[in-house]
Amino acid sequence: MLELRRVDTYYGNIQALYGVSLSVEAGEIITLIGANGAGKSTTLMSISGITSPRRGEILFKGQNIVGMAPNNIVQLGISQVPEGRHIFPLLTVSENLDMGAFLRRDKKGIEDDRAYLYDLFPILKKRRNQPGGNLSGGEQQMLAISRALMARPELLLLDEPSMGLAPLVTRQIFEIIQKINKDQNTTIFLVEQNANLALQVADRGYVLENGRITMQDRAELLLANPDIQRAYLGI
Ligand code: ATP
């Protein structure tokens, strides 16, 4: 579904990604793990078109999307849940969901998806007329994921969904991520500092160090790898 080929991304003169190559098959949950500043968010933003790579190719279903505008990339079927959530605090929960469906015209499909998400997150249904800014951190993460899903993506990019959340809430969110992957066959690209949790839900994982992919394997093999355990799992 998605292939990055030797992607180099810069911020001005500062190179953040060095020849990043990776692939995501349809239906998979893929995780990219790495320390603070390794380039995980930059990788996601390179895919979603927010930060365009200087060199390399990003193929989505065979089409090179490098240089395309972010809204066109959403229309192709890729949605991102940004780090820190960035919901619209003054809009209600329901209006935040409308924003996620902004590029869609199929009214019935939009309402079906809203109903599905309210089933998945009953607390959002309960708070549908409240401003997004009044929600707790965990509820805002649920809203950010739901807003992204309202675009009906084939590929969902999740940037640090566990950030700032209590362990119990994080677990709940990760269960939902697995459910979305199974129910809707949404392919998931998950970026996480909580490598333990990410590798438990993922099919395969990549390790990013200083802007370079240094390891890739099936998630259960990465979990059992002593180098990974030492560097990322605190074992
Ligand atoms: P974190 O977990 O802290 O979000 P990350 O792995 O997502 O880290 P990035 O945010 O992608 O890492 O950052 C990769 C590198 O790019 C870092 O060295 C960072 O300082 C640099 N960087 C990120 N954003 C910018 C920016 N807007 N301008 C300049 N440098 C940036």
Side-chain angles (χ1 to χ4, degrees):
M1 174 175 271
L2 181 79
E3 191 181 351
L4 273 65
R5 290 186 183 161
R6 296 180 302 278
V7 167
D8 292 342
T9 302
Y10 288 72
Y11 295 101
N13 290 328
I14 302 165
Q15 187 166 2
L17 297 184
Y18 294 83
V20 167
S21 294
L22 56 83
S23 64
V24 183
E25 305 289 334
E28 277 190 312
I29 301 183
I30 288 292
T31 188
L32 180 65
I33 60 173
N36 246 329
K40 303 181 299 298
S41 297
T42 304
T43 304
L44 287 193
M45 291 192 291
S46 299
I47 298 167
S48 59
I50 296 166
T51 309
S52 210
R54 190 174 293 178
R55 286 182 289 272
E57 286 181 323
I58 300 181
L59 302 173
F60 180 60
K61 297 195 289 184
Q63 178 181 0
N64 190 5
I65 59 172
V66 169
M68 275 179 74
N71 58 315
N72 292 332
I73 292 176
V74 172
Q75 239 157 353
L76 283 182
I78 301 178
S79 289
Q80 181 173 359
V81 182
E83 182 177 324
R85 309 185 265 275
H86 297 287
I87 56 134
F88 301 105
L90 300 179
L91 299 185
T92 65
V93 166
S94 176
E95 288 165 343
N96 267 276
L97 295 183
D98 290 340
M99 296 306 278
F102 189 70
L103 296 169
R104 290 175 64 178
R105 295 287 165 267
D106 56 323
K107 270 205 169 132
K108 166 88 173 70
I110 292 172
E111 287 324 307
D112 288 350
D113 285 348
R114 193 195 307 272
Y116 169 79
L117 291 165
Y118 280 160
D119 266 359
L120 208 56
F121 299 111
I123 190 72
L124 295 185
K125 184 173 186 183
K126 201 166 149 202
R127 298 191 188 281
R128 62 188 178 281
N129 295 320
Q130 291 185 22
N134 285 8
L135 304 185
S136 70
E139 290 161 1
Q140 288 192 18
Q141 186 58 263
M142 293 173 195
L143 180 56
I145 292 172
S146 300
R147 184 184 57 188
L149 288 173
M150 285 299 285
R152 262 290 172 145
E154 290 177 61
L155 175 64
L156 182 68
L157 309 175
L158 286 162
D159 197 349
E160 302 262 4
S162 76
M163 187 185 269
L165 302 184
L168 200 67
V169 181
T170 300
R171 215 155 256 292
Q172 204 185 347
I173 300 249
F174 272 66
E175 276 168 20
I176 298 277
I177 291 169
Q178 285 180 290
K179 192 166 157 51
I180 293 162
N181 170 251
K182 288 207 175 63
D183 280 5
Q184 301 203 322
N185 199 30
T186 309
T187 306
I188 298 200
F189 191 148
L190 169 67
V191 155
E192 256 299 338
Q193 274 198 48
N194 188 335
N196 193 7
L197 208 50
L199 289 170
Q200 282 178 40
V201 301
D203 299 301
R204 291 189 299 120
Y206 289 87
V207 179
L208 191 64
E209 287 176 31
N210 300 317
R212 294 176 174 84
I213 300 283
T214 54
M215 216 183 282
Q216 63 177 82
D217 217 328
R218 297 212 56 79
E220 67 270 20
L221 296 179
L222 288 175
L223 271 174
N225 181 313
D227 291 337
I228 299 288
Q229 290 181 347
R230 225 179 354 260
Y232 298 104
L233 306 176
I235 298 175

